[in-house]
Amino acid sequence: MSYKALYRTYRPSSFEEVVGQQHIVTTLKHAVKQNKIAHASLLCGLPRTGKPTIAKLLAKAVNSEDQQNAARHQCPNCYALTPAK
């Protein structure tokens, strides 16, 4: 029997699916859209608040070949960063 934790099963796959961190999501989406990404981002906070999830979504957005349509996640780089379900 295979066990999969709920946080892995229901992990957001785009910035639009993130719940409860709208101020962070808005800031990062604007930075990606304007191509003004900081050289480092410090994600800090309480456990289980979505720090790794936000980091993975930011990595997808930054590494996307099609910056204008980065939210669609349809380029080869986005597929490579998406874990198999």
Side-chain angles (χ1 to χ4, degrees), residues 14-49:
S14 67
F15 281 130
E16 287 74 28
E17 295 177 4
V18 175
V19 176
Q21 300 292 338
Q22 292 310 108
H23 57 290
I24 302 299
V25 170
T26 304
T27 303
L28 293 176
K29 279 173 42 176
H30 287 304
V32 170
K33 185 178 276 188
Q34 295 174 359
N35 199 20
K36 293 186 177 182
I37 307 297
H39 71 280
S41 294
L42 180 62
L43 301 176
C44 60
L46 298 173
R48 294 184 230 38
T49 55

Side-chain angles (χ1 to χ4, degrees), residues 48-83:
R48 294 184 230 38
T49 55
K51 296 177 296 287
T53 300
I54 295 292
K56 289 175 185 179
L57 294 176
L58 180 60
K60 273 187 187 180
V62 169
N63 291 313
S64 180
E65 291 176 359
D66 187 8
Q67 290 295 323
Q68 299 302 321
N69 298 317
R72 294 185 192 163
H73 303 300
Q74 295 179 348
C75 71
N77 290 343
C78 292
Y79 281 125
L81 291 170
T82 303

